[in-house]
């Protein structure tokens, strides 16, 4: 149903700004409130990947179709990635199509956050930073994570090495998860994701950086800062409740297996705006368009929580076998992400005991993927090389290098 009242959106991130752009373009009065000083400040220079394998449609074509202009931000296209197996074997997977695009998050002009901010302003939305509003006073809730299901930490550095991407499955360096290396135009990021809660998480990042230094000796590293944050993975009873639309990470609309969430953030923001404009029913469309992917990812996460390096190795081998057969590495990874009847069945079986209800969710029936406990195998001593990485970072930090996360920050 079309409405003439001003729309208030909580959160000027990707989902909130996408919704604001669509609504303001349609002539509605839109106010976006963000507690931070600017869009993208949550991430502060982090590189993230816009995946392009979970469906046949190219994400940038989707963006254009929805009325967003991908040329507003810098995106570097990749057709290949180094796949690092848990036993340190390095292979390459590639595709004739765009496999993914790397974008920067943050407050610099070329970031995706600032691109979406410009689109919202251009469309006529009013943005209010350092503005604290109540959830009850907003129609769209787009404020990112509330709880913690997993965390990721990374070090950003200067390098002379050409653009390069590596993705590593290794249960020691990235418990239950993966680490990655991204180099774009002289700036690098080495990041590790922890799907099990650890004390002294720096240990994992230091060891991961030491690993990359050893196996990619031609990469020079001059650390600039450390970044990171938490991811919130929830299933909600309703995505539209008490007159409010829950979009992006606030609605738990992310990939539970590996944490990809930007595509669904923009998508859900767009759908919420379309509902307000009377063009669809948000609840119905989220369930039809997004939930099959979310449920598949819950099933995938359930399986991931039960395995370690032996299965990671099996996955890497299967991926490379499929790459050889088809000449396209996107097919195997795409299959992993796409809804299948057996994943839906597994979701039905496992989600009741895998997710824990959130008592603070204003009676919305939110169930969260808990941050799992560490395993015995997560306790190990840092190597000498990792200690050197820690010392190097310490000296950068003492001369002004910033860490934009704490164990509890988002
Ligand atoms: C370290 C890390 C790496 C990631 N890597 C990837 C990746 O490679 N690919 C990918 O697709 N996804 C990735 N993700 C997930 C992705 O970042 C999120 O899914 C996506 O940003 C969610 O968009 P959003 O609009 O819901 O939230 P955001 O874009 O984070 O925006 C939320 C906004 O709400 C604001 N806010 C918070 N609280 C309030 C409040 N009370 N009132 C008002 N405003 C508030 C915040 O300041 C922020 O501006 C990563 C996440 C993390 C933490």
């Amino acid at each position: 149903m079309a409405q003439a009242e001003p729309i208030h959106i909580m959160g000027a991130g990707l989902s909130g700004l996408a919704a604001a752009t669509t609504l303001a373009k349609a002539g509605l009065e839109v106010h976006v409130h963000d507690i931070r000083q600017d869009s993208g400040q949550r991430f502060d220079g982090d590189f993230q990947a816009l995946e392009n394998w979970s469906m046949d449609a190219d994400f940038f074509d989707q963006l254009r179709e929805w009325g967003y202009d991908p040329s507003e931000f810098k995106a570097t296209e990749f057709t290949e990635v180094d796949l690092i197996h848990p036993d340190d074997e390095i292979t390459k997977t590639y595709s004739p199509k765009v496999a993914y695009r790397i974008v920067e998050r943050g407050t610099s002009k070329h970031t995706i956050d600032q691109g979406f901010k410009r689109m919202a302003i251009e469309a006529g939305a009013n943005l209010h930073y350092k503005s604290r509003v109540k959830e009850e006073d907003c129609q769209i809730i787009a404020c990112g994570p509330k709880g913690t299901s997993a965390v990721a930490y990374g070090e950003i550095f200067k390098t002379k090495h050409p653009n390069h991407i590596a993705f590593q499955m290794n249960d020691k360096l990235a418990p239950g998860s993966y680490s990655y290396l991204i180099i774009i135009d002289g700036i690098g990021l080495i990041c590790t994701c922890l799907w099990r809660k650890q004390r002294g998480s720096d240990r994992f990042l230091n060891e991961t950086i030491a690993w990359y230094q050893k196996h990619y000796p031609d990469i020079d590293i001059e650390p600039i800062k450390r970044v990171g944050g938490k991811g919130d993975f929830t299933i909600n009873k309703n995505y539209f409740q008490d007159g409010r639309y829950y979009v992006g990470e606030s609605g738990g609309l992310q990939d539970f297996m590996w944490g990809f969430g930007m595509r669904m953030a923009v998508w859900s923001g767009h759908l919420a705006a379309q509902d307000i404009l009377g063009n669809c029913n948000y609840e119905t469309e989220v369930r039809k368009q997004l939930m099959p992917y979310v449920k598949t990812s819950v099933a995938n996460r359930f399986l991931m929580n039960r395995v370690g390096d032996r299965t990671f190795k099996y996955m890497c081998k299967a991926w490379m076998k499929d790459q050889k057969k088809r000449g396209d590495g996107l097919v195997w990874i795409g299959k992993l992400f796409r809804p299948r009847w057996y994943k839906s069945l597994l979701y039905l079986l496992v989600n009741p005991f895998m997710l824990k209800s959130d008592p603070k969710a204003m009676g919305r029936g939110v169930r969260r993927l808990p941050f799992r406990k560490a395993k015995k195998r997560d306790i190990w001593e840092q190597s000498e090389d990792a200690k050197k990485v820690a010392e190097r970072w310490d000296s950068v930090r003492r001369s002004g290098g910033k860490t934009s996360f704490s164990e509890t920050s988002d």
Side-chain angles (χ1 to χ4, degrees):
M1 201 181 19
Q3 67 181 82
E5 291 289 303
I7 305 285
H8 291 271
I9 301 175
M10 191 176 185
L14 296 185
S15 55
L17 292 170
T21 303
T22 303
L23 292 167
K25 262 192 194 171
L28 268 65
E29 183 181 335
V30 184
H31 296 271
V32 191
H33 307 267
D34 201 294
I35 40 162
R36 288 189 168 89
Q37 264 166 353
D38 204 349
S39 298
Q41 212 183 18
R42 175 187 168 198
F43 292 102
D44 190 28
D46 196 9
F47 285 134
Q48 294 190 3
L50 284 169
E51 60 85 6
N52 213 30
W53 54 72
S54 64
M55 56 197 72
D56 291 338
D58 184 290
F59 182 49
F60 273 19
D61 290 339
Q62 282 185 309
L63 284 181
R64 286 185 204 100
E65 201 182 298
W66 296 333
Y68 309 118
D69 178 6
S71 68
E72 275 292 349
F73 52 90
K74 180 179 172 185
T76 310
E77 295 182 349
F78 282 87
T79 54
E80 61 173 44
V81 61
D82 281 2
L83 175 64
I84 308 169
H85 303 218
D87 57 359
D88 299 348
E89 183 186 352
I90 302 177
T91 55
K92 218 176 245 317
T93 168
Y94 52 88
S95 171
K97 294 182 240 149
V98 176
Y100 54 91
R101 297 174 173 94
I102 300 295
V103 291
E104 196 178 313
R105 306 293 309 263
T107 53
S108 303
K109 196 168 172 246
H110 58 274
T111 60
I112 187 169
D113 305 86
Q114 293 293 310
F116 269 86
K117 176 181 167 182
R118 277 192 296 277
M119 283 187 249
I121 291 172
E122 175 115 328
N126 306 286
L127 309 188
H128 310 273
Y129 291 101
K130 296 193 94 175
S131 168
R132 197 171 277 279
V133 281
K134 287 194 192 132
E135 197 162 321
E136 299 88 299
D137 297 331
C138 297
Q139 286 75 51
I140 299 180
I141 311 302
C143 52
K146 275 217 166 100
T148 307
S149 305
V151 293
Y153 300 127
E155 185 169 286
I156 294 187
F157 53 91
K158 274 193 207 145
T159 182
K160 290 186 227 33
H161 195 276
N163 290 3
H164 201 89
I165 309 281
F167 173 83
Q168 179 188 42
M169 298 190 73
N170 185 312
D171 193 68
K172 177 185 172 188
L173 300 174
S177 187
Y178 59 94
S179 86
Y180 52 92
L181 160 79
I182 299 177
I183 298 176
I184 309 274
D185 300 339
I187 300 293
L189 165 71
I190 292 174
C191 191
T192 181
C193 308
L194 315 182
W195 244 263
R196 295 196 293 272
K197 193 175 184 174
Q198 310 291 343
R199 275 207 205 129
S201 316
D202 284 4
R203 176 167 56 103
F204 291 85
L205 180 55
N206 295 334
E207 201 68 47
T208 303
I209 295 170
W211 188 96
Y212 280 96
Q213 284 188 163
K214 183 170 169 208
H215 292 85
Y216 289 87
D218 52 339
I219 297 179
D220 55 306
I221 294 180
E222 195 188 317
I224 304 172
K225 59 184 166 184
R226 286 195 166 188
V227 294
K230 68 185 182 192
D232 193 10
F233 301 91
T234 61
I235 294 286
N236 299 202
K237 193 165 154 220
N238 298 307
Y239 294 87
F240 176 72
Q241 189 164 326
D242 304 325
R244 289 186 289 278
Y245 300 83
Y246 290 83
V247 299
E249 204 168 344
S250 288
L253 297 165
Q254 298 205 92
D255 156 50
F256 276 58
M257 179 172 68
W258 283 344
F260 291 95
M262 289 190 288
R263 193 174 192 167
M264 287 198 219
V266 177
W267 196 338
S268 57
H270 168 72
L271 287 175
Q274 288 303 329
D275 182 327
I276 292 172
L277 296 174
N279 298 332
C280 75
N281 178 293
Y282 181 66
E283 188 75 42
T284 309
E285 293 308 316
V286 165
R287 287 182 191 284
K288 200 163 85 189
Q289 298 187 36
L290 297 179
M291 289 314 286
Y293 289 100
V294 175
K295 288 179 180 175
T296 302
S297 75
V298 174
N300 284 339
R301 178 41 53 198
F302 173 80
L303 297 171
M304 284 290 181
N305 284 351
R306 263 138 208 90
V307 301
D309 280 345
R310 203 181 314 167
T311 307
F312 287 172
K313 178 70 191 173
Y314 170 80
M315 287 171 72
C316 291
K317 276 166 81 177
W319 193 348
M320 291 317 296
K321 201 171 153 198
D322 203 66
Q323 165 81 63
K324 207 170 160 197
K325 191 169 132 199
R326 299 173 200 275
D328 186 353
L330 279 192
V331 180
W332 189 86
I333 189 80
K335 273 190 188 161
L336 189 63
F337 276 70
R338 289 176 202 215
R340 292 278 182 274
W341 68 266
Y342 50 88
K343 297 261 175 90
S344 308
L345 184 64
L346 185 58
Y347 170 79
L348 283 176
L349 293 172
V350 302
N351 91 83
F353 60 88
M354 194 179 158
L355 308 172
K356 299 276 170 278
S357 74
D358 175 0
K360 293 190 204 136
M362 295 169 69
R364 288 184 48 237
V366 171
R367 290 179 305 127
R368 174 168 290 109
L369 180 76
F371 201 0
R372 299 177 78 224
K373 282 194 204 129
K375 289 184 187 277
K376 260 194 197 154
R377 63 177 187 252
D378 298 334
I379 300 162
W380 38 261
E381 281 296 312
Q382 277 193 101
S383 65
E384 287 309 310
D385 287 345
K387 284 180 193 161
K388 281 185 202 144
V389 169
E391 280 162 21
R392 181 179 65 194
W393 168 246
D394 224 34
S395 80
V396 174
R397 193 178 51 78
R398 278 200 301 271
S399 50
K402 294 227 161 46
T403 302
S404 71
F405 63 86
S406 69
E407 300 269 327
T408 51
S409 74
D410 63 359

